[in-house]
Amino acid sequence: MATLIKGNRLLDGKGGALNNAAVLVEDGRIVAVGSQESMPAEPGVEVIDAGGKTVMPGLVDAHVHLVNTGETFSARDARTATDDEMMILAVKNAQLAIRSGITSVRDLGGKGFLTVSVRDAISRGVIPGPRIVSCGAALTITGGQSYYKAMVADTAEEMKKAARELIHGGADCVKIFGSGGNATPGSNPLASQYSLEEFQAATGEAHRLGKHVAAHVHPTTAIRLALEAGVDCLEHCTWLRPGGLGIDEPLMEEIVNRGTYISLGLPSTWYRVPLDEIQDIMDKEGREELLGPRYESIRRMFESGAKVVSSSDAGSTATRIDELGLLLEFLVNQLEIPAQTVITSATSLAAEAIGLGRETGSLEVGKKADIILV
């Protein structure tokens, strides 16, 4: 059956806009996009009149953790959660995502293959939810970032084998915890967890098997190693160094030249004020000292021409699955990044980064009708 969606305005997800617009959908795919005048309703076509609303692609969150609560102590809680509890949370979060206009997500760190099972249940129509691209479990070192739910690999050979096991188990991509993080006491966010050889072992094997690789990298040292190893997407890309943070301009230029994606993975702990909710992670003074430089680095990454994806790290500490919209609002209103740039970064560019660019992320003929009315 065909459906004609009419709206006051249309944003196509690639920077284009159209007033008094319409989208014709048939069998779940977009068959026409244009003005309402050019597409009158034919007999038998269902019409959805959005009135004064804007028609746009569903949002794509390229960095989420479906098995986490998104509450203040989510990282701490995840250390003791059972697999059954994580599965229930993953289903709950998937349903919350789709209800909040997020039609695709990339899960970058569940436990085992729990999120692969949720992905498959959604694709079979067993439960509602967004399209899920899942890494299964992320790779980390012994005692490293998120060790309590990740797959441990300490050597190049172990990295290669782990990548094979993940992909054999149904993972869509490979996630490497390339550095420590504040959510795991005892790990070091200022140091790389892996050598170049170890990064290359996992990345090379994933690429051989046709899968992309994302790497959690806070410090500049880990960013450099991940980039040299050919990682496809740099998660967080915080540019931390001893004593503060700041962009390494030559390295930033190399990221742009290579066309490597930067996925912000920016949890609300970075922009939510007051900061009282996150005192379990970092003292308030330490966090506030990083806010200004971090915000400036985000502006610079957008201005550089890099492929910057606005992702939320939803499920992590104090970031719930339905808060991607708040992040986008913050980037526009507080960091003054152009609205169309931000929308593109959370629709077509995000879909491209997670391997769904041919299917979704923009309102184009032939693509899936992942459409929201705002």
Side-chain angles (χ1 to χ4, degrees):
M1 181 177 177
T3 302
L4 184 66
I5 303 170
K6 300 161 64 176
N8 180 58
R9 185 168 170 80
L10 179 144
L11 303 177
D12 66 8
K14 302 186 81 171
L18 180 64
N19 292 326
N20 197 36
V23 181
L24 183 63
V25 174
E26 191 167 358
D27 297 326
R29 290 192 180 269
I30 297 170
V31 295
V33 179
S35 66
Q36 293 183 23
E37 292 77 12
S38 67
M39 287 191 288
E42 300 291 338
V45 174
E46 178 190 13
V47 176
I48 298 176
D49 191 340
K53 294 183 175 64
T54 293
V55 182
M56 63 177 285
L59 297 174
V60 179
D61 197 336
H63 189 136
V64 305
H65 299 281
L66 292 172
V67 303
N68 285 35
T69 64
E71 300 302 325
T72 302
F73 301 108
S74 61
R76 183 184 302 170
D77 294 343
R79 293 171 212 155
T80 58
T82 66
D83 288 3
D84 289 342
E85 289 170 332
M86 286 187 172
M87 177 65 85
I88 292 168
L89 276 172
V91 172
K92 173 189 174 183
N93 283 330
Q95 294 177 346
L96 184 58
I98 200 68
R99 289 201 302 269
S100 62
I102 300 169
T103 56
S104 299
V105 300
R106 178 174 59 177
D107 188 276
L108 287 181
K111 185 177 182 183
F113 296 97
L114 294 180
T115 56
V116 171
S117 296
V118 176
R119 176 200 69 194
D120 293 345
I122 291 170
S123 67
R124 292 196 304 268
V126 177
I127 56 174
R131 304 180 194 281
I132 296 177
V133 172
S134 171
C135 76
L139 302 182
T140 196
I141 61 173
T142 299
Q145 172 74 354
S146 293
Y147 65 86
Y148 44 83
K149 64 186 177 83
M151 182 179 289
V152 172
D154 287 317
T155 66
E157 281 304 309
E158 289 177 356
M159 292 287 276
K160 182 182 291 187
K161 182 178 180 181
R164 290 173 179 172
E165 288 179 354
L166 289 167
I167 295 168
H168 176 68
D172 301 299
C173 59
V174 170
K175 159 77 176 296
I176 302 170
F177 278 116
S179 71
N182 292 311
T184 305
S187 69
N188 185 358
L190 292 173
S192 177
Q193 293 196 151
Y194 290 109
S195 67
L196 176 60
E197 180 187 11
E198 290 157 354
F199 268 116
Q200 288 174 328
T203 301
E205 197 62 18
H207 287 170
R208 184 182 72 82
L209 295 171
K211 307 297 182 180
H212 71 268
V213 180
H216 159 115
V217 283
H218 282 304
T220 300
T221 53
I223 295 170
R224 180 174 289 107
L225 290 170
L227 186 65
E228 187 173 349
V231 163
D232 304 286
C233 200
L234 303 170
E235 304 299 318
H236 309 299
C237 204
T238 315
W239 303 97
L240 285 176
R241 59 173 185 259
L245 66 84
I247 286 181
D248 180 314
E249 290 293 344
L251 188 56
M252 184 71 245
E253 185 176 353
E254 186 174 352
I255 291 171
V256 174
N257 291 339
R258 285 176 178 248
T260 304
Y261 296 96
I262 296 173
S263 173
L264 291 180
L266 188 66
S268 62
T269 49
W270 280 102
Y271 60 84
R272 181 180 283 154
V273 177
L275 300 174
D276 296 339
E277 294 187 24
I278 58 168
Q279 296 312 294
D280 62 310
I281 299 298
M282 183 186 291
D283 65 272
K284 186 173 181 179
E285 291 183 2
R287 180 71 66 171
E288 287 182 330
E289 288 177 0
L290 292 176
L291 290 179
R294 175 57 169 157
Y295 296 162
E296 184 55 39
S297 75
I298 292 170
R299 291 190 192 95
R300 176 71 191 99
M301 287 190 288
F302 273 104
E303 291 169 355
S304 71
K307 295 179 178 180
V308 182
V309 174
S310 297
S311 58
S312 72
D313 205 9
S316 67
T317 299
T319 307
R320 294 180 296 275
I321 201 76
D322 58 347
E323 293 190 318
L324 177 61
L326 299 181
L327 171 61
L328 307 185
E329 186 177 36
F330 167 79
L331 293 172
V332 174
N333 292 343
Q334 301 300 316
L335 299 194
E336 299 182 339
I337 297 166
Q340 281 283 27
T341 298
V342 171
I343 291 169
T344 298
S345 76
T347 53
S348 63
L349 187 63
E352 182 184 305
I354 68 175
L356 296 181
R358 293 184 178 181
E359 285 289 286
T360 189
S362 59
L363 302 186
E364 296 181 89
V365 173
K367 289 196 173 182
K368 293 282 188 180
D370 295 351
I371 299 171
I372 61 176
L373 306 179
V374 182

